Structure formats: C-alpha cells, structure tokens
Amino acid sequence: MAWFSLKGPNAGILRKRGADSLQKKNARLSRKAAGEGMVLLQNHKKTLPIKKGTAVALFGAGQIKFHLHGGGSGSVPNAFENVNLLQGMEDKASKNQISLYRPIIEAYRTYFQKGGRGEMPLSDELLKKAVKKADTAIFTISRYASEGSDRRAVKGDYYLSDWENRTLERIIAAGFKQVAVVLNIPGVIDTSWMSRFPDVSLLISWMPGMEGGHAVADVLCGAVNPSGKLADTFAASYDEYPSSGNFGRHSDYVNYEEDIFTGYRYFETFDPNHKRVNYSFGYGLSYTTFNLSKIKLYVSGKRVKITVRVTNTGGCSGKEVVQVYYSAPRGKLGKAARQLAAFQKTGLLKRGRSEVLSMNFPIADMASYDDTGRIRKSAWLLERGSYRLFVGNSLSDADRRGVQGTVKINETKIVRQLTACAAPVRLPKRLLADGSYDLLHAGDIRKEEKKKKPDDSTGKKEEKKPEFYRKKAKIMLQDVARRSAGLDAFIEQLEDDQLIGLSRGTQATVAGGAGGIGNLNEYGIPNVQTADGPAGLRIASRTTAWPIETLLAATWNPELIRSVGEAAGREAVLNAVDIWLAPGMNIHRDPLNGRNFEYWSEDPLMAGKMGAALIEGVQSRGVAAEIKHFAVNGRETNRRESDSRVSERALREIYLKGFEIAIKESHPRLVMSAYNLINGVRASENKDLLTDILKHEWDYHGVVTSDWNNTAAFEKEILAGNHVRMPFGSTTAEHLLMALQEGTITRKDLQNNVRPILKMIMATPAFKKFRPRQIPVAVGGAGAARIEAAAFLDASAGTGIKNRTDEESGLKIVRAANGEWLRYFIFVEKTGTYTFTPGIPAGNGRRRIEIFLDGRRIGQSMQRRAGTESGRSRENGETIDVRLPEGRHTLKLTFHAAESEIAWFEIAYKGIS
C-alpha cells in the first residue's frame, strides 16, 4: 500500500485518504461477499426478487435488531458501520425501487425507543391496515450466538418460538400476495415449520457483516442473484443429527460415537432417500436456471479430472456451483456413502451464456485411515474396488443424476504409512457403516513423560564468575535477518529468563488488541501484535466487519474468500497488527456449538479450501494468519476442561483434515491450540498432536500458541510443541523457571522452543520497521540518577503500566506479578560502589526486588515502611549498596510478590571501594 512509505508534511493527509479509500473498498467487498453467501431455500411462485414498485411491509424485531456478527472473538464492536435490514430496505425505497409501509416501521421503532425487548406485540388493526397497503410481507427471524456458550434445542433458539409461529400464521392469514422469511442466523436452525407454510419463500442471510442490511436488500430486490449453497445439512429435526444424543449429556467430556459419520456423511449413509433431511448439503436456489451438460470424468496419472459445461437457461444473470462427490467401496473399513471431492463456481453468466468448468483432485484423496489394523494399522489406504463419482449443483442433485464415472482400484494400495497418534482411551463405542457399533476397550490415560534430569549441558546455567568481565559484542536479531550472524548464536547469548519471556505472550500495544509476542528490545525483538478474528480486526479502531465464516463458506468461492483475506491483511497493516487470529477451522459437528459461526462447515474439504484461501489472502500483505482452534473444539460448555473422545480415524479424516489442507496449501505462520482435551490430554500439552502430527507428518515449521487464559501447565506445553503461552493463563514465568531448575525442562528445550518464534517475528511488518531503543541512562555523575520505572527497555508479560501516578513523584506506576521483570539500559561513567533505592508507592505487605547486572545477581532490596505522607502510610524500598563497573550494561529488576508496584529507582555514586 503506497501511503505507508510516505514522508513529509502531507504524509498524514495522504495516509488518511488511503485509509478512507480502503474503508470504501472493504465496504463494497463485504457487501459483495455477503450477497454471494446468502442461500435461497424456497421461492414460492417467484416471490423473489421483489418487483420494482412493489409495496412491502416489514415484520419482526430482527429488521432492526439485525445481528451482523456473533459475540466474543468473532465480534467486531467498532465496525465502520452497522447496516440493519430496515436500513437496507429504506435505501432501496429512497431510490424508488420499492415502497415501504411506514406505519408498521414506526411502530417497531417506537417500541424499541420506549425500551421494548424481544418481539413487538402485533395488533390485528395494524396487520389489517398493512395488508391493504402492501403486497409483499417480509418477516425477519433472528438468532444470536457467542463464544463461551452453546445454543439450545429449545423454542426461541434452535426452534421457532410460539410467538414466531403465531405471527407467521397471522401474516399468511392476513392475505398478503407474497410472504418471504429472512433467517438472520449464526448457523443451522429448525426448518420443519416450512412444511406448514408451503406458500412462503425462505432466504438465509446468516450474520452478514457490517453491510448486511444492504446485502439482504440487494438480494430481496434483485440487484444480486443469490448463488449461495449450504455448507451444512438442515435436518428434519435436531434429534436426527447423530451427535444430538451426546453433545450436552456430560459436562466434562463428549463421546464422538458417530465417528466419521458427521453431517451429510451420516444422512447419505443411513438415509439415502433424504427423508430425514429438509435441505441437503450444497443446496441453494437461484433466480435463474442452469443446465449441466457434457460431464466428463477421466483419470490422468494420479489425478481424477472433471469438466462440466454450465449454461444459464433462465431469464437473468447468475452464478452456479458444480460439486463432485465420490462413493468409496465399503470394504473392510466401512465408508460414508458420499464425500465431497471437488467443487468450482462459475463467473457471472448472462442468460444463454455457458462456461466450462475444469476440476481435478488426487486419487489418494479418496483414501481412508485404518486405525485398528483391519488391513494395515495406522495407514492411509485405498481399498480395492470401484470408486463411483457423482456430479451436480447440490448433493441431492448429484444423487439424482446418478453415477457419472468410476475409478477402478484393482489392488488395495497403501498411500502412506504412519504411526498411531492421539488414540482414544475412554471412547466406549463408535458407529460403523452397517449401522452397528464397534465396542472399544477403555484404558488409562497415557502416562506423562518422565522428568528430565539436568546435566552439564542443560538445565540451570552455571553460576557466572564473581568478578565483572567484558561481554562479547551483542548479536541483534537484525544481524540474523541480514545473515551477518546465525540464529543459533543469537539464541545462545540469551539468558534463561529471556528465553522464558519469548515463550510467553506480552501486553497489547494496539488499543483493543489481544496481546503480543516478543518484546525484547535489547536484542532487536519487537512486540509483534495480535488481533482477534475471524469476522474482522477486533480492536479499538474502526475496522471492517466481514460476514461470518459460515456465510463465506456458503459462497463456495475460494477466490472471493482470498480477496476478503487480502483486504483484511491490508487493514491489519494499516492498524499495526502483525498477526490476525483467523481463520477458525473446526468442524460443524453439532448445530448447537455456540462458536459454529466462527467456523466454515460440516465438511473438512470445504473448511480446508476456504481456510487456505483466506490465509493466502491475509499473508499476501505480509500479515501472519493464525489458524485456530487446534483441534476438536466441538462445543463451548466447560470448554477448558471438556475431553473430546474421538477415534483416531475420525480425528484424522474429519477433525484434522481441514487443518491439514489449509496448512499444506497456504502455510499459515501460526497455529492456535485449543482449550479442550483430546482423548484425555490437553490440546496445548498434546505432543502427539503438536509434534508428531503437525510438525513431523505435516512438515509444519511455524509457531504454535495457546489460546488465552488456558489452564494447562506451561512446561508441558513447551515439551509438547506449543511454543508460546499467551497472556493470563494459570501459570507464570516463575512456574517455568522452577521447572527449569528442577530439570523438568532444560535450557536446550527453551532454545529450541524460541527458534520458530524468532523466525516468525522476522517475517512481520513490525520487525521490518523496528528500530531498537539503545540509548542508555547515564549514572555516576553529580547527584543521584532517578530512572522512571515506566521507561524500561523491555519487560516480561506479567507487567503493565497503571493508570494512576505516584503521589510523591508524579510518575507512572508499573505493576508486576510474582517472578516478572523490568530491564533497563544504563551507562556507568565510573567504576565504584553505588546506592540503589527503589521508589515504591503506598501499599501493604513485604516486597522483594532482586537486582541483576548483565544477567548476574548483584543484590536485593526489601520494601520498608517510611513514615507518612499526606496522612497516609508511604513505603520505600531498602537502599542497598551495589558495585557497578564502568561501561554499558543491562540492569534487570525481578519482583517477588503477588502484586508489586514501583514508580522509579535511584542510583547514586558512593565512592570507590
């Protein structure tokens, strides 16, 4: 982006213009993406699009209380704008495309202005007047979801409320010529009520981002032809989902007994006639019609190639999606009846125009994983037999068209031999392809690794010499980036506490940001900043609110998703964000997962392809994407302690597959581990998952961070391959230092741990423009040198600058938890003995501060009471003598109390001793 390098008196104005331009571009793109992901499920007698000049009556609180995004990390509280459905329709009315019946709109507005909550009571009189003035009724039904809580299979959530059912009945009975319902929802809800209202048209708007109201109005009024397709199955009722029986049965664990038969895989296998499905996976209508012809499938080398001619046979321009599914032979392992193999979307086809789509996929993608040894244990393999291929514009359409081609495998082939990882120990049974269950043997959770014994080369570093010595020239990270020094040599010079500091998340410097990584100014390491996602940058500044991932998946358009990622990356650069915590990659196992809106689909191929596209876009702007939550984060209830008990086959074929595709295709620079346990082991402590699978099998060399505020053990995370413990977890730097001293973890472990962190930091925008602060504070001249505590060179994660100031000095107060540290750069003018006095604001309890010079402990100061000031007790730190040699040095203060405070410290020359 050109304006970032501008200098001179007009630079600020030009940057502002650049930001304004980006805001407008992002608004247009958000609106476009939202319109393309909306799904038309039913269109009775072509109610939609609304014809020009039609009078419309809007019903439902959702037209005003229109949910544009979900809650938690997937929210964007400071979006540039928030356009609800009513505002979008009013914009169309202002351009004379439609007219709106104003009395009912004003009734809703007055209701909310007077503090009304929930749905507005609808009088018979108002309804009768509306039907006399309006031909078309639009009824908006809204639902909300948020991180931290799950949805419920009750009326008013998964099911329509009694009020919604009655209101819809009354609107239809009133006699409107056309009735359409807009579902403003975070994910799947019940649609069985549609069988009672066959004359109603139905559009899913999802949570469509900040331009959502405009986008819905575009679709309703025909400016945009809907081309979205479902990325989830809408079953006849919640009880039909195979996960419904155990999703919320136990608070501390979930048994994934349906195994590989999730979503449409289950229904296609056990309900091939779709009697238990209202709307199938991949389904969605258009305002026009399409014909699929000249379908050709053939094998070329190790790939299956497909070409399809798509022709617009209707009366308006539109887009169509072609979907390819395969059916593997049941064989010894048992398979789902259908699995998505490839898909592609056309461009905008004018009526009568055609486009030939070409798709392909590796034959090996049809392999299954044998986790029990029926054929070859721990191997991906293609069983012998016929692999039938199906093509259509939805799963049900592909079924209707029948087999379009066959790939013959004459002998069972081993695609890849692996070793067992993250296998279950407490999953009692799992579903098989014939409808029976495989009874599994319960066992004990795998034992923890034995503690490592420290030796001469690892563990706590040996004591330094008692006398001061000249340190070698410091290697800066910039030297490593310029290749004038090696990364290993750079890491070797770091002290233990610095290695620990790099292994912990840091405070946010971007207002409203999530936190940082790095922050070791002394060695040229910036504090690279993160921001929550995936619906946009969740920071204090105004940013773009994109549609939720579930809507974006429904576009079936990876190129469009890549554009969204690129735009989000540009905005991140503009706001000094280096790492965007997106995309979310977990599978929609159950409709009630409260965080489904942050994830793509029930299908791992769909999730993988869409995630890869977003990551490619984000990282094309230099910003790092952090894929999350790895893995099997299937519900929000008790999410930090819930154990996801799943077979190794289902883990690999369903719950890890999307991550694997995205990681191998787009190489995200970071992965965020999940809160939950997987088969008895916390995700962030799971070496099978983070090292054996992620690093060794998938060849991933990026950074793994924990989620925020987790409850795992710091040292176990590092040993498992979780590189960074993000802020505010249950353990601190002190815990890791103790583990280092006890030999549970070694210095070599810490050195290996920070290597990928430093490589990631060197690729960030923050590093490229970072200039280390290397101006030392002079001590040893006339009088005492008072150093402001808040003017530290760098600090550990558990420190922060408080809003209040010290009464005596007027300086800002720095707080520090137990084991945290502050570091300063000083220049000692002459060798000698100096007094050290810390300025500690009023407080209670004893405080101890250790002082280190160039990594060597030179003393400690105890807090003492020092009389009164302004009628209140004041405390100061003990004045101690320290010996300082001439020259430049780093001075570190380490605090030992649950909560310490300091405003300043003084160093004064005492004499030669």
Side-chain angles (χ1 to χ4, degrees), residues 456-525:
D456 294 339
S457 60
T458 59
K460 188 177 181 181
K461 295 170 72 176
E462 63 179 297
E463 292 293 325
K464 290 184 172 61
K465 299 176 181 179
E467 296 298 324
F468 289 102
Y469 61 94
R470 293 287 182 181
K471 297 179 70 175
K472 292 182 180 179
K474 184 182 299 180
I475 302 172
M476 304 294 286
L477 192 59
Q478 287 72 17
D479 298 326
V480 178
R482 290 191 294 265
R483 298 187 178 181
S484 58
L487 184 57
D488 288 346
F490 176 84
I491 294 172
E492 184 61 37
Q493 70 184 333
L494 300 179
E495 299 168 14
D496 290 346
D497 68 332
Q498 292 171 326
L499 295 172
I500 292 172
L502 290 173
S503 303
R504 301 177 66 205
T506 60
Q507 298 288 331
T509 58
V510 171
I517 298 173
N519 195 32
L520 194 57
N521 179 80
E522 178 186 355
Y523 289 91
I525 302 174

Side-chain angles (χ1 to χ4, degrees), residues 773-835:
R773 302 187 305 272
Q774 292 290 326
I775 302 175
V777 177
V779 298
R786 173 170 286 194
I787 300 173
E788 183 181 355
F792 49 79
L793 179 68
D794 37 51
S796 60
T799 61
I801 299 174
K802 305 192 76 167
N803 290 327
R804 67 184 180 90
T805 57
D806 176 43
E807 292 182 4
E808 183 254 337
S809 64
L811 298 176
K812 292 180 179 179
I813 296 172
V814 177
R815 62 162 181 79
N818 188 32
E820 306 298 334
W821 51 263
L822 305 169
R823 200 185 313 268
Y824 303 86
F825 191 27
I826 63 173
F827 177 75
V828 180
E829 295 185 359
K830 50 190 173 184
T831 300
T833 299
Y834 288 76
T835 59

Side-chain angles (χ1 to χ4, degrees), residues 856-896:
R856 188 173 71 86
R857 186 179 182 277
I858 59 173
Q860 69 175 14
S861 173
M862 299 295 295
Q863 184 172 326
R864 58 180 172 80
R865 195 168 298 279
T868 60
E869 178 183 316
S870 301
R872 62 182 293 196
S873 172
R874 173 168 179 78
E875 297 174 353
N876 241 348
E878 175 188 11
T879 297
I880 63 170
D881 290 347
V882 293
R883 178 172 165 75
L884 301 179
E886 178 184 344
R888 297 187 177 208
H889 304 278
T890 55
L891 184 77
K892 185 182 74 172
L893 308 182
T894 300
F895 299 85
H896 296 282

